[in-house]
Amino acid sequence: MTVVEDIVQTAPDAGDLRARVAELHAVQEQAKQGPGTRATEAQHAKGKLTARERIDLLLDEGSFTEVEPLRRHRATGFGLEARRPYTDGVVTGWGTVHGRTVFVYAHDFRIFGGALGEAHATKIHKIMDMAISAGAPLVSLNDGAGARIQEGVSALAGYGGIFQRNTRASGVIPQISVMLGPCAGGAAYSPALTDFVFMVRETSQMFITGPDVVQAVTGEQITQNGLGGADVHAEVSGVAHFAYDDEQTCLEEVRYLLSLLPQNNRETAPVEPALDPAGRRCEGLLDLVPVEGQRPYDMHKVIEEIVDDGEFLEIHERWAANVICALTRFDGHTVGVVANQPQALAGVLDIHASEKAARFVQFCDAFNIPIVTLLDVPGFLPGVGQEHGGIIRHGAKLLYAYCNATVPRISLVLRKAYGGAYIVMDSRSVGADLSFAWPSNEIAVMGAEGAANVIFRRRIADSDDPEGTRTEMVKQYRDELMHPYYAAERGLVDDVIDPADTRDVLVRSLRMLRTKHADLPVRKHGNPPQ
């Protein structure tokens, strides 16, 4: 007999309301305590917090309101009828983060290993529906063993309901998945459907088939972390956007991300008082970026120089590092930044970089976040692997995302911007509202050396001094078609600006575009490249 059953059986008669209230408090306390101290100690021994401890770290102090804390499953068979704990292994409700409403559900690994059954799923469905109706972000704290095997197909149907709601909420409210334990099989698809995935090293893993199945089918031996740990998904697969060493840091970063986002697709992100002067000159940029197109530099430092207080949150920092995607603020307003990174693969676009940037652009567009694009791109990465891997359709994803975006869009060419990569990276021709360039820009079909070799191939071959002729032709092509004012003269760049004025120009432009309104043609939805 449980403590609560003992309380209920020994309760005074129904006429004593105070006794009934005392009984209620005892039941509520039992629900909060869960399966007891031994289970909690076992959770802590694994380096993991309990569901309620995690919620306390995520939400503002004292703001959590729980939904259905006394829910219990109704399943029978396999001993389930004798185990009917309150909450059924998931804590659901809402609270605030920085004073704004956020909905949350957290698996309680201490109860059935956090496995999802019918009642468990129904609670999640309800909180997801509430988040959509209220127009507030949804955060899932995942630490579960997948479907509850004893409940069979009912558990699988519960996952189907979650996936359907993830899809319905996509682009309507921000959805954040925080992986704090195992997530295997079909359960992994819910995080994949959300906007952002956070993981904690050593304690969280995601995979469709675990190491034992992999070894049985393929003969490959691998650990859980080697197969689906945080670093694997942050660097190799791109499934995780963020990876941290501990839960406390992870949840603090979730709070920071939420501070940069709007509540839903009908609102804009909250505005922070801007202490960094809007017109601040960025003299440091003159020394950060070398004029020579072949010399690398760190684009992160450029971003730090121009945004408010040098602060930004990079998305997918360790995956597809040749393109940077970040949320930051200009003049106190949230802005998304997409930038080529010359320090990684010379800043070229490849399959992964195209996918990464495309999804980020789509997210910003869905949630009314303006986009600033910083170009220094030599083109798409050549190679058999890229072509056979579908660089055409993957590159088209980025093109589609930009062409489809209706939020304010500003592009800035720092140095080289060649060929199709220039067009794809939010050029004026695909709908950028404003396009600027530094006097170091080179906008062309290809680099001067390659262009001269194509255009003047015969002249170079027939010359008595091929190298001298090639050098002369390269100079001629650069002087005539690649000088920094060529695109501006043709109206393809709105202005060539002093790099030190970059922040001032971007802030002024974003202020002007703040009231931009653009409609897409009426349609059910587009059919983006896959």
Side-chain angles (χ1 to χ4, degrees):
M1 182 179 294
T2 67
V3 174
V4 174
E5 287 171 337
D6 183 60
I7 292 171
V8 171
Q9 289 190 12
T10 59
D13 63 61
D16 190 342
L17 185 56
R18 287 184 175 80
R20 288 301 177 107
V21 170
E23 174 191 326
L24 168 64
H25 290 166
V27 172
Q28 290 174 330
E29 184 61 25
Q30 175 68 13
K32 287 183 180 179
Q33 292 300 321
T37 56
R38 288 182 60 186
T40 300
E41 289 170 357
Q43 180 82 345
H44 289 166
K46 298 173 185 175
K48 301 197 296 184
L49 301 174
T50 66
R52 295 182 187 279
E53 288 171 339
R54 290 163 173 165
I55 290 173
D56 287 343
L57 285 175
L58 173 67
L59 301 177
D60 297 337
E61 185 177 356
S63 69
F64 181 56
T65 299
E66 190 169 355
V67 174
E68 296 192 354
L70 306 184
R71 188 68 177 259
R72 304 165 82 180
H73 73 75
R74 297 174 294 181
T76 58
F78 305 102
L80 282 179
E81 62 274 10
R83 297 181 62 200
R84 299 181 63 234
Y86 289 111
T87 74
D88 200 46
V90 63
V91 181
T92 61
W94 76 87
T96 60
V97 172
H98 302 300
R100 298 189 302 153
T101 300
V102 172
F103 288 81
V104 60
Y105 68 86
H107 299 128
D108 190 342
F109 194 82
R110 302 172 304 163
I111 298 175
F112 298 124
L116 181 139
E118 183 180 21
H120 182 122
T122 301
K123 289 181 64 176
I124 295 176
H125 296 168
K126 179 172 182 175
I127 211 66
M128 294 180 79
D129 289 339
M130 291 175 68
I132 296 170
S133 296
L138 174 71
V139 178
S140 62
L141 306 179
N142 297 270
D143 185 9
R148 195 173 299 170
I149 300 172
Q150 301 94 320
E151 294 196 31
V153 70
S154 296
L156 296 179
Y159 274 121
I162 293 173
F163 303 156
Q164 193 264 350
R165 287 167 173 82
N166 283 140
T167 304
R168 186 152 51 89
S170 181
V172 178
I173 57 171
Q175 298 180 85
I176 299 172
S177 297
V178 188
M179 315 311 296
L180 301 166
C183 184
Y189 283 114
S190 177
L193 288 168
T194 61
D195 299 306
F196 299 102
V197 176
F198 288 72
M199 294 188 73
V200 175
R201 295 184 179 90
E202 302 303 323
T203 58
S204 65
Q205 303 87 27
M206 296 174 67
F207 37 69
I208 300 300
T209 53
D212 293 340
V213 176
V214 169
Q215 183 175 355
V217 174
T218 70
E220 299 170 291
Q221 293 186 344
I222 194 167
T223 63
Q224 285 196 347
N225 280 322
L227 181 62
D231 288 326
V232 168
H233 287 310
E235 294 182 23
V236 181
S237 72
V239 171
H241 300 79
F242 306 94
Y244 298 99
D245 291 329
D246 59 82
E247 295 189 17
Q248 291 84 351
T249 303
C250 180
L251 292 169
E252 184 59 37
E253 289 299 293
V254 174
R255 287 175 57 87
Y256 179 46
L257 172 59
L258 286 166
S259 75
L260 291 163
L261 303 180
Q263 291 292 88
N264 54 62
N265 64 345
R266 301 183 304 276
E267 299 182 12
T268 56
V271 180
E272 291 290 322
L275 302 179
D276 195 349
R280 169 175 54 81
R281 283 181 60 80
C282 305
E283 298 288 349
L285 294 176
L286 299 171
D287 300 316
L288 277 176
V289 182
V291 174
E292 299 86 350
Q294 293 75 28
R295 289 180 57 190
Y297 62 93
D298 189 356
M299 185 65 82
H300 292 106
K301 294 182 179 179
V302 174
I303 298 172
E304 287 177 5
E305 188 72 21
I306 63 177
V307 304
D308 288 359
D309 303 309
E311 293 183 0
F312 62 92
L313 178 64
E314 186 170 357
I315 314 299
H316 268 145
E317 179 181 1
R318 296 161 61 196
W319 182 64
N322 41 321
V323 69
I324 297 171
C325 297
L327 289 169
T328 186
R329 288 190 175 94
F330 282 91
D331 197 27
H333 293 258
T334 297
V335 174
V337 173
V338 179
N340 306 111
Q341 171 58 298
Q343 278 194 337
L345 294 177
V348 298
L349 289 177
D350 62 0
I351 288 173
H352 288 162
S354 299
E355 288 185 321
K356 170 180 170 178
R359 194 159 194 270
F360 181 70
V361 168
Q362 288 176 165
F363 174 83
C364 290
D365 186 52
F367 290 103
N368 311 310
I369 298 173
I371 302 167
V372 170
T373 304
L374 306 178
L375 285 84
D376 192 344
V377 59
F380 283 94
L381 181 65
V384 174
Q386 288 289 306
E387 296 295 345
H388 288 185
I391 184 61
I392 295 173
R393 61 187 174 87
H394 290 289
K397 293 178 183 178
L398 180 54
L399 181 60
Y400 187 99
Y402 270 124
C403 290
N404 201 50
T406 60
V407 292
R409 291 155 48 192
I410 302 171
S411 65
L412 172 65
V413 181
L414 280 65
R415 292 195 311 187
K416 55 192 176 298
Y418 296 156
Y422 156 67
I423 301 172
V424 167
M425 289 289 290
D426 205 20
S427 63
R428 279 285 301 276
S429 59
V430 299
D433 297 293
L434 290 168
S435 180
F436 300 103
W438 286 1
S440 51
N441 82 83
E442 291 184 351
I443 303 173
V445 175
M446 62 178 68
E449 290 78 7
N453 287 337
V454 172
I455 298 172
F456 306 111
R457 179 176 62 252
R458 182 166 298 179
R459 183 184 300 185
I460 293 171
D462 294 341
S463 172
D464 295 334
D465 180 12
E467 285 305 314
T469 302
R470 179 181 290 108
T471 300
E472 180 184 346
M473 295 301 100
V474 167
K475 182 178 184 304
Q476 179 182 336
Y477 184 85
R478 179 173 282 117
D479 290 344
E480 293 184 12
L481 296 179
M482 294 182 64
H483 63 79
Y485 309 106
Y486 186 85
E489 290 171 359
R490 285 152 182 79
L492 298 175
V493 168
D494 290 290
D495 198 6
V496 179
I497 65 172
D498 179 346
D501 291 331
T502 298
R503 174 175 167 81
D504 183 42
V505 169
L506 291 177
V507 168
R508 288 172 180 269
S509 301
L510 288 166
R511 284 176 178 172
M512 180 275 293
L513 289 168
R514 206 161 286 156
T515 54
K516 175 187 174 182
H517 177 77
D519 290 319
L520 291 171
V522 176
R523 58 182 173 181
K524 187 174 182 180
H525 56 74
N527 187 24
Q530 297 297 321

